[in-house]
């Protein structure tokens, strides 16, 4: 379970205060994957980072009583001067997993060839995104966090394999995904929410969420 209890978050932009969350409360239960619709610039990445514990709220409490992933594509957990081999084995030890398994899984999914022995700092953004996605899927989480705005890969073979793994994960895990595109959420979410003007509106279905989202963004 992931729960936000009366959580507020804002930033000073230099000219005004931008409110991301204004005393928001909601809960994500295991087994109920949730999609969150939010227009660009409203704080999608900040919200998902707060879920992961990468950013703290200004006020309120965030409770986590399950294993929650770092956001898909998050770069902060890996070290640029180390190779994919070193990073995968180090992260595996941090999570108490078999380093040989995590390295082998990432090698198979990334298909980076000899670059797997090279420092991540030499990778293109697409190669690095492939590695961090593979690393997230190699670890065992109850809840996966996906920020649609994170870097994506244009590698067709990788996308096919990663998509198959992710679909398999959906059978036993919960996904929280934020996006400004309703069609992205259809692949993952059972219920949905809309983030607007610092408030989060929860709905039982994506169709209900889309009605509010379309009205606010297109009306």
């Amino acid at each position: 379970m992931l729960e936000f209890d009366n959580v507020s978050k804002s930033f000073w932009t230099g000219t005004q205060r931008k409110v991301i969350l204004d005393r928001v409360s909601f809960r994500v239960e295991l087994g109920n994957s949730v999609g969150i619709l939010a227009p660009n610039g409203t704080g999608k990445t900040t919200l998902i980072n707060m879920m992961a514990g990468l950013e703290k709220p200004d006020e309120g409490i965030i409770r986590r009583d399950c294993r929650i992933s770092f956001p898909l594509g998050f770069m902060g957990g890996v070290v640029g001067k180390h190779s994919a081999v070193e990073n995968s084995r180090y992260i595996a030890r941090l999570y108490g997993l078999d380093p040989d398994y995590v390295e082998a899984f990432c090698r198979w999914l990334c298909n980076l060839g000899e670059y797997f022995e090279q420092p991540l700092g030499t990778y293109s953004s697409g190669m690095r995104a492939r590695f961090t996605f593979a690393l997230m899927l190699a670890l065992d989480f109850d809840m996966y966090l996906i920020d649609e705005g994170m870097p994506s890969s244009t590698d067709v073979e990788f996308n096919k394999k990663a998509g198959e793994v992710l679909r398999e994960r959906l059978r036993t895990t919960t996904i929280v995904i934020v996006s400004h595109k309703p069609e992205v959420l259809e692949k993952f979410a059972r219920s949905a929410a809309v983030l607007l003007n610092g408030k989060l509106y929860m709905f039982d279905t994506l169709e209900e969420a889309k009605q509010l989202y379309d009205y606010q963004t297109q009306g």
Side-chain angles (χ1 to χ4, degrees):
M1 182 268 292
L2 168 67
E3 183 177 27
F4 278 45
D5 185 359
N6 210 33
V7 171
S8 295
K9 182 70 173 181
S10 63
F11 295 103
W12 178 251
T13 65
T15 58
Q16 62 181 344
R17 183 158 294 279
K18 180 178 178 58
V19 177
I20 306 300
L21 297 177
D22 181 16
R23 292 167 293 190
V24 166
S25 296
F26 68 93
R27 178 184 295 188
V28 180
E29 300 284 359
L30 292 181
N32 181 35
S33 293
V34 176
I36 300 176
L37 284 169
N40 286 327
T42 55
K44 294 191 299 295
T45 297
T46 299
L47 175 60
I48 211 93
N49 284 346
M50 292 172 69
M51 292 179 179
L54 300 174
E55 294 193 37
K56 295 182 179 180
D58 298 333
E59 297 177 348
I61 299 172
I62 301 176
R63 300 183 181 92
R64 308 172 187 86
D65 67 355
C66 62
R67 296 165 297 176
I68 299 177
S69 79
F70 46 87
L72 168 61
F74 174 64
M75 304 300 181
V78 296
V79 181
K81 66 180 181 180
H82 293 163
S83 68
V85 174
E86 294 167 321
N87 273 288
S88 60
R89 298 184 72 85
Y90 173 71
I91 295 295
R93 293 188 184 96
L94 282 182
Y95 283 89
L97 299 174
D98 179 4
D100 290 340
Y101 164 76
V102 174
E103 178 189 341
F105 180 91
C106 291
R107 279 184 182 274
W108 166 76
L109 187 55
C110 291
N111 194 28
L112 292 172
E114 63 185 14
Y115 284 100
F116 207 80
E117 280 79 30
Q118 301 301 316
L120 264 63
T122 65
Y123 287 14
S124 68
S125 60
M127 293 166 62
R128 191 155 172 163
R130 281 157 60 186
F131 174 67
T132 54
F133 190 7
L135 187 57
M136 184 186 77
L137 291 178
L139 306 178
D140 187 18
F141 295 109
D142 300 311
M143 188 178 294
Y144 286 87
L145 304 177
I146 301 178
D147 180 354
E148 170 255 355
M150 291 294 183
S152 59
S153 172
T154 57
D155 185 277
V156 175
E157 181 182 357
F158 171 80
N159 288 339
K160 183 175 183 294
K161 290 195 296 185
E164 291 172 352
V165 173
L166 192 55
R167 281 191 290 272
E168 183 66 28
R169 289 284 195 276
L170 271 172
R171 298 180 182 179
T172 57
T173 62
T174 302
I175 285 180
V176 178
I177 178 170
V178 294
S179 175
H180 70 284
K181 297 179 180 179
E183 58 270 23
V184 173
L185 306 187
E186 292 174 353
K187 304 174 185 177
F188 305 102
R190 295 183 182 178
S191 59
V194 179
L195 178 63
L196 287 171
N197 302 318
K199 300 295 185 182
L200 193 75
Y201 302 91
M202 297 290 291
F203 296 92
D204 292 332
T205 67
L206 176 58
E207 192 58 39
E208 291 175 295
K210 284 171 61 178
Q211 290 179 11
L212 173 63
Y213 184 72
D214 290 343
Y215 176 77
Q216 293 292 331
T217 59
Q218 300 175 18

